[in-house]
Amino acid sequence: MNPPRTDARRHHDPEVRGFASDNYAGAHPEVLAALALANGGHQVAYGEDAYTENLQQVIRSHFGPTAEAFPVFNGTGANVVALQAVTDRWGAVICAESAHINVDEGGAPERVGGIKLLTVPTPDGKLTPELIDREAYGWDDEHRAMPQVVSIAQSTELGTVYTPDEIRAICEHAHAHGMKVHVDGSRLANAAATLDVPLRTFTNAVGVDLLSLGGTKNGALFGEAVVVLDPDGIKHMKHLRKLSMQLASKMRFVSVQLEALLARDLWLRNARHANEMAQRLAEGVRAVHGVEILYPVQSNAVFARLPHGVSERLQKRFRFYFWDEAAGDVRWMCAYDTTEDDVDRFVAALKEEMAR
Ligand SMILES: Cc1ncc(COP(=O)(O)O)c(C=O)c1O
């Protein structure tokens, strides 16, 4: 069948990919096919549609019978909505200093969610019970925002991955202090691929209360979901999305994308591939003298330190970002559509620029 006619024109080269972000990738063709399936006819708006209803079954197949998904537009929105659901007006969230909610969300948790963040420096983006204790105190002190939630990212902003036991220890510690645990799972699929376990093994099974489940970096056009794993003590989710401008009227188009990813194994295929490309990249980079890999490569990111001038020259050939420009640290991200050839050409270019 011929594709439908359109007056739009292509404005980019679909063969050009870089290492700047998994958000630079397009949508997976299977997701686009699912969107076309969900098109046509009228469906009830704001989440009362057949696709959102079906998504609940898909989510329960991953996270068990008490799980409920609340689709949203983006990851910042998911985090802001989720954290509001588990904090009072006087509440605070303990997170890593490097957390996306702290450094990359434009202050939305504070300004939109009205939430105080209590941040802790970490060596590798991961919190531990000991690190949490630096901020977990003063529940009776009216001069201090009350720690009510611990938020961790899986995988972390630095590309590292918590083991299920590490998350269990965090949950037990947080719960013992009456705090809930939120996981920013913008790259939850990448963590599952690395750990090679089902999603529930390092979420519900170890005590996580709610999470932000990523779709965009995993091959969706856009769309994520807050997943409440255990509704006990989690209030007002129904109202929080609209209040936070995250309630999609045509929600079927968010839900069907998540269904396309999660109903079978597309989420895992995509995440595994992105992770494998990061491993290939790390292997290639390790063979280049003078380039240091900064953190264990456990998902789809490689962080490296190299001479500033080399990075600048390389950036003229491939897109990527400095992570800490003063230190010469860069971040290279792989996506579900990164090819072996992309990686090999990048490593060859790196070698050339290092030798100049
Ligand atoms: C760890 C993490 N959380 C959340 C997000 C979601 O952000 P956005 O609001 O851009 O979808 C990102 C995106 O880069 C991320 O890396």
Side-chain angles (χ1 to χ4, degrees), residues 23 74-77 79 100 105 153 155-157 184 186-187 216-217 224:
N23 284 333
N74 58 33
T76 300
N79 288 335
H100 199 265
E105 298 191 350
S155 54
T156 72
E157 291 72 10
D184 176 349
S186 166
R187 298 190 183 87
T216 314
K217 298 174 199 327
E224 329 263 304

Side-chain angles (χ1 to χ4, degrees), residues 14-64:
E15 291 310 317
V16 171
R17 289 173 293 274
F19 294 85
S21 170
D22 34 9
N23 284 333
Y24 276 42
H28 193 280
E30 290 177 41
V31 171
L32 291 180
L35 280 162
L37 267 182
N39 202 14
H42 284 201
Q43 279 282 290
V44 185
Y46 299 108
E48 302 268 314
D49 60 90
Y51 294 90
T52 305
E53 190 187 330
N54 189 69
L55 177 64
Q56 302 306 340
Q57 285 168 30
V58 173
I59 288 294
R60 285 196 286 269
S61 75
H62 285 284
F63 296 103

Side-chain angles (χ1 to χ4, degrees), residues 333-350:
M333 297 296 299
C334 297
Y336 76 86
D337 64 348
T338 303
T339 66
E340 291 184 355
D341 186 53
D342 293 338
V343 173
D344 296 348
R345 284 188 305 108
F346 183 75
V347 172
L350 173 66

Side-chain angles (χ1 to χ4, degrees), residues 229-249:
L229 297 170
D230 180 355
D232 197 28
I234 298 184
K235 301 165 291 191
H236 311 310
M237 268 307 301
K238 188 168 170 18
H239 302 276
L240 284 169
R241 281 177 299 175
K242 188 69 172 186
L243 181 68
S244 309
M245 294 155 280
Q246 286 289 326
L247 189 70
S249 54

